[in-house]
Amino acid sequence: MSVSLQKGQRISLEKPGGQQLSMVRMGLGWDAVKKRGFFGSREREIDLDASCLLFADGRLADVIYFGKLTSDDGSVRHTGDNLTGAGDGDDESVIVDLSRLPVHVSSLVFTVSSFNGQTFNEVENAFCRLVDESTGAEMARYTLTGGGAHTGMVMAKLYRHGNGWKMNAIGEPAQGRTFQDMLPAIAAHA
């Protein structure tokens, strides 16, 4: 059963019966706002890029994005770059093997940024969702509402909590065409 998250809401990633998840996928999706003209509306392309930043006690330990698809230890993998946002479902995904993450990694922060500098005023239906990779079941979904003049978004965070993991829906606007541009905003959530 999927939970529809609100900004700032947190959920446990414990399976029913107290089992911990081992493999999850953070799927991110979006659509371009249709441009309306004299002859009707037409499709546009929006190139948002998903990134996953791994932190160890507040310090950046590794980054996964379209230019580096796999973490140094192999526990986190980006499935590839979508340049348009076209199609239904997840446009970009990051798969995390929680059981293989190094013990020093305390949190993973997921972001999206507009590589071409298009603002979120030009984006609609943006979401992130957490899926149990072993069953394909969606566990949680955070849907962004409204647009905005920002070019990036700190979407969500997975973080260690005791022996398990929790997810926090962040939804914080940021400025930047890449995760590097957004590092000050991202680090605030590490």
Side-chain angles (χ1 to χ4, degrees):
M1 180 170 104
S2 181
V3 175
S4 181
L5 297 174
Q6 303 298 315
K7 184 175 181 172
Q9 188 174 359
R10 301 168 193 264
I11 63 162
S12 173
L13 301 187
E14 194 173 283
K15 287 181 168 185
Q19 273 187 312
Q20 295 296 326
L21 287 172
S22 60
M23 185 87 76
V24 295
R25 176 172 28 100
M26 182 68 77
L28 299 116
W30 65 89
D31 294 316
V33 172
K34 289 183 176 50
K35 185 158 182 145
R36 303 191 195 314
F38 187 69
F39 298 106
S41 63
R42 62 179 184 165
E43 295 289 326
R44 296 176 33 218
E45 296 179 350
I46 299 281
D47 180 13
L48 294 185
D49 294 315
S51 301
C52 176
L53 290 81
L54 286 69
F55 288 91
D57 295 321
R59 289 200 155 112
L60 187 60
D62 203 352
V63 180
I64 294 76
Y65 67 108
F66 69 88
K68 182 181 181 223
L69 296 177
T70 305
S71 63
D72 292 339
D73 61 33
S75 64
V76 182
R77 185 173 50 89
H78 193 298
T79 59
D81 195 11
N82 179 321
L83 302 175
T84 66
D88 294 329
D90 300 339
D91 292 310
E92 294 191 12
S93 294
V94 177
I95 298 170
V96 181
D97 186 343
L98 296 170
S99 65
R100 286 185 52 207
L101 274 172
V103 294
H104 69 278
V105 172
S106 52
S107 65
L108 296 90
V109 179
F110 296 87
T111 68
V112 291
S113 55
S114 174
F115 188 73
N116 294 321
Q118 295 159 305
T119 70
F120 275 70
N121 285 328
E122 301 174 65
V123 175
E124 63 185 3
N125 305 322
F127 67 87
C128 68
R129 68 188 195 113
L130 191 69
V131 175
D132 179 344
E133 266 304 278
S134 65
T135 65
E138 180 178 292
M139 300 181 60
R141 177 180 287 257
Y142 175 52
T143 303
L144 297 176
T145 57
H150 50 281
T151 56
M153 178 75 64
V154 181
M155 297 290 285
K157 172 172 100 170
L158 298 182
Y159 62 97
R160 289 188 192 272
H161 183 75
N163 292 328
W165 290 86
K166 285 193 170 191
M167 177 181 170
N168 179 20
I170 297 172
E172 173 105 7
Q175 292 298 333
R177 294 169 41 144
T178 66
F179 74 84
Q180 293 100 326
D181 299 338
M182 297 171 37
L183 270 176
I186 297 166
H189 297 283

